[in-house]
């Protein structure tokens, strides 16, 4: 049986008039009358009787309305939900964050995602660029905030650009008002990320252009360890301000800008071409991240420059 006929039947029963029901449904009155007649023929009963003001249900019609109204509404809701991208989510959505963004982004992002998508579970993972890229390739991470990734299998879009600064211990003498030349920076004992993507790559490219070599004292995947080593005075680091804002506030670390050349590093949002999330939901998720980052920058909570003029659209994958 055509469920549309049942829906038409219920609307006529509600309106008490085929004319009013046809107007409400947006179809011609003769077409609606024909559908009701076909339904009555299928059931071999009369569902309506004519009265002066329109039509009223027969006893058979009343029984049909009682038996079908609630199930039909549930069926329509089920069909509508099945068409929704949220209905196809059978697991938590995994969001990755590069470690340098955790202090400034993790808490507001968690709050925003829970508010925007209250019926969806989220899992957050952090790491270096290569760790997050590997997680996306393996399908363990859905969407991640990272530095630019040199991989054709990954869709990436810049959201912001952060200046990189030289970071030292509290007694290092570094001063935000006194810049350090890059040529002097590379003579310092430095700690860098093990990942060749991101900060290390930015330093290597700048040194290559100056035809200089960089001597690293130590490399590590851990931002926490990096900051501990810097605070202990063993090494200097090169980081964005967002990566150690808490340590600045407690006077545990000091910093200075880098010049000749100045160093900057983009941060953006990425997903693989094999993204398993429904595209509509992925688009909404990416837009939420984009707008949150824009607000954090506008409010002065993230010392960076917003560069994304277009919404993040995974439908181009």
């Amino acid at each position: 049986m055509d469920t549309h006929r049942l829906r038409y039947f219920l609307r006529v029963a509600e309106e008490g008039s085929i004319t009013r029901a046809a107007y409400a449904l947006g179809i011609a009155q003769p077409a609606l009358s024909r559908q009701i007649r076909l339904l009555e023929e299928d059931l071999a009963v009369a569902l309506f009787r004519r009265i002066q003001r329109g039509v009223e249900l027969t006893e058979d019609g009343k029984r049909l309305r009682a038996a079908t109204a609630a199930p039909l509404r549930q069926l329509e809701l089920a069909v509508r939900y099945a068409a929704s991208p949220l209905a196809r989510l059978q697991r938590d959505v995994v969001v990755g964050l590069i470690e340098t963004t955790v202090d400034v982004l993790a808490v507001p992002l968690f709050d925003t995602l829970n508010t925007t998508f209250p019926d969806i579970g989220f899992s957050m993972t952090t790491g270096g660029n290569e760790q997050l890229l590997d997680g996306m390739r393996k399908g363990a991470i859905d969407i991640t905030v990272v530095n630019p990734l040199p991989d054709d299998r990954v869709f990436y879009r810049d959201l912001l650009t952060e200046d990189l600064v030289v970071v030292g211990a509290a007694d290092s003498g570094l001063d935000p008002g006194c810049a350090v030349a890059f040529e002097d920076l590379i003579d310092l004992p430095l700690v860098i990320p093990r990942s060749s993507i991101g900060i290390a790559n930015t330093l290597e490219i700048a040194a290559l252009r100056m035809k200089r070599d960089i001597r690293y004292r130590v490399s590590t995947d851990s931002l926490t360890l990096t900051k501990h080593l810097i605070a202990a005075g063993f090494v200097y680091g090169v980081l964005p301000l967002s990566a150690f804002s808490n340590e600045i506030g407690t006077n545990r670390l000091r910093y200075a800008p880098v010049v000749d050349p100045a160093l900057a590093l983009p941060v953006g949002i990425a997903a693989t071409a094999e993204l398993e999330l429904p595209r509509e939901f992925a688009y909404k998720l990416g837009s939420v991240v984009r707008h949150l980052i824009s607000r954090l920058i506008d409010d002065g909570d993230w010392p960076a420059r917003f560069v994304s003029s277009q919404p993040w659209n995974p439908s181009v994958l």
Side-chain angles (χ1 to χ4, degrees):
M1 182 182 296
D2 192 338
T3 58
H4 282 85
R5 289 176 187 167
L6 289 175
R7 184 165 64 89
Y8 295 157
F9 158 74
L10 292 172
R11 193 56 185 256
V12 173
E14 178 182 344
E15 297 290 344
S17 165
I18 292 179
T19 301
R20 290 195 296 271
Y23 178 80
L25 291 167
I27 61 177
Q29 180 178 335
L32 179 58
S33 297
R34 181 172 181 275
Q35 293 300 318
I36 296 300
R37 185 170 64 255
L38 289 173
L39 179 61
E40 289 178 324
E41 290 175 0
D42 285 341
L43 298 175
V45 296
L47 299 173
F48 295 98
R49 67 172 64 91
R50 293 188 175 276
I51 58 175
Q52 187 175 359
R53 298 183 304 276
V55 294
E56 66 178 10
L57 290 167
T58 63
E59 291 302 315
D60 289 321
K62 291 177 181 178
R63 283 192 290 270
L64 180 62
R65 181 174 63 175
T68 60
L72 187 59
R73 276 196 297 271
Q74 292 175 352
L75 177 61
E76 289 177 342
L77 286 174
V79 170
R80 188 181 310 160
Y81 183 69
S84 166
L86 301 185
R88 302 195 290 276
L89 294 177
Q90 302 297 323
R91 57 171 177 79
D92 286 356
V93 175
V94 183
V95 179
L97 296 180
I98 186 174
E99 276 198 288
T100 54
T101 68
V102 170
D103 284 355
V104 68
L105 182 59
V107 171
L109 179 59
F110 181 80
D111 180 51
T112 300
L113 293 178
N114 276 330
T115 301
T116 308
F117 307 103
D119 298 325
I120 297 176
F122 286 92
S123 175
M124 286 191 180
T125 185
T126 66
N129 287 292
E130 288 180 347
Q131 290 174 287
L132 298 174
L133 175 59
D134 186 58
M136 283 192 295
R137 287 171 176 167
K138 294 178 178 177
I141 299 175
D142 295 305
I143 291 176
T144 185
V145 176
V146 288
N147 298 129
L149 300 173
D151 192 311
D152 292 339
R153 293 167 293 180
V154 173
F155 173 76
Y156 170 88
R157 170 163 289 169
D158 286 337
L159 294 178
L160 60 96
T161 298
E162 295 185 285
D163 291 328
L164 298 178
V165 299
V166 55
V167 188
D171 60 356
S172 64
L174 294 176
D175 187 336
C178 185
V180 174
F182 181 78
E183 191 166 359
D184 295 328
L185 167 67
I186 58 179
D187 287 332
L188 297 173
L190 293 175
V191 56
I192 63 162
R194 291 182 60 189
S195 172
S196 61
I197 304 170
I199 293 174
N201 185 57
T202 300
L203 290 172
E204 292 288 353
I205 291 174
L208 183 63
R209 288 173 178 168
M210 297 185 69
K211 299 180 180 179
R212 290 287 307 273
D213 293 325
I214 305 179
R215 296 189 301 274
Y216 300 123
R217 179 67 57 85
V218 64
S219 63
T220 175
D221 289 329
S222 170
L223 178 61
T224 299
L225 178 56
T226 294
K227 292 190 286 188
H228 281 314
L229 293 174
I230 296 172
F234 295 124
V235 290
Y236 291 80
V238 178
L239 295 168
L241 287 171
S242 59
F244 61 101
S245 56
N246 293 334
E247 287 79 8
I248 295 174
T250 58
N251 296 315
R252 186 163 174 255
L253 297 176
R254 295 182 63 83
Y255 75 95
V258 179
V259 294
D260 302 324
L263 302 177
L265 185 61
V267 175
I269 188 168
T272 67
E274 292 79 27
L275 182 66
E276 293 181 355
L277 296 179
R279 295 301 168 89
E280 302 93 332
F281 172 72
Y283 174 82
K284 175 66 173 177
L285 178 57
S287 296
V288 167
V289 174
R290 176 177 176 270
H291 286 106
L292 171 62
I293 289 176
S294 176
R295 178 172 61 80
L296 290 173
I297 293 173
D298 288 343
D299 292 346
D301 296 323
W302 196 331
R305 296 177 296 281
F306 191 67
V307 298
S308 176
S309 60
Q310 297 296 325
W312 186 78
N313 188 357
S315 65
V316 303
L317 291 176

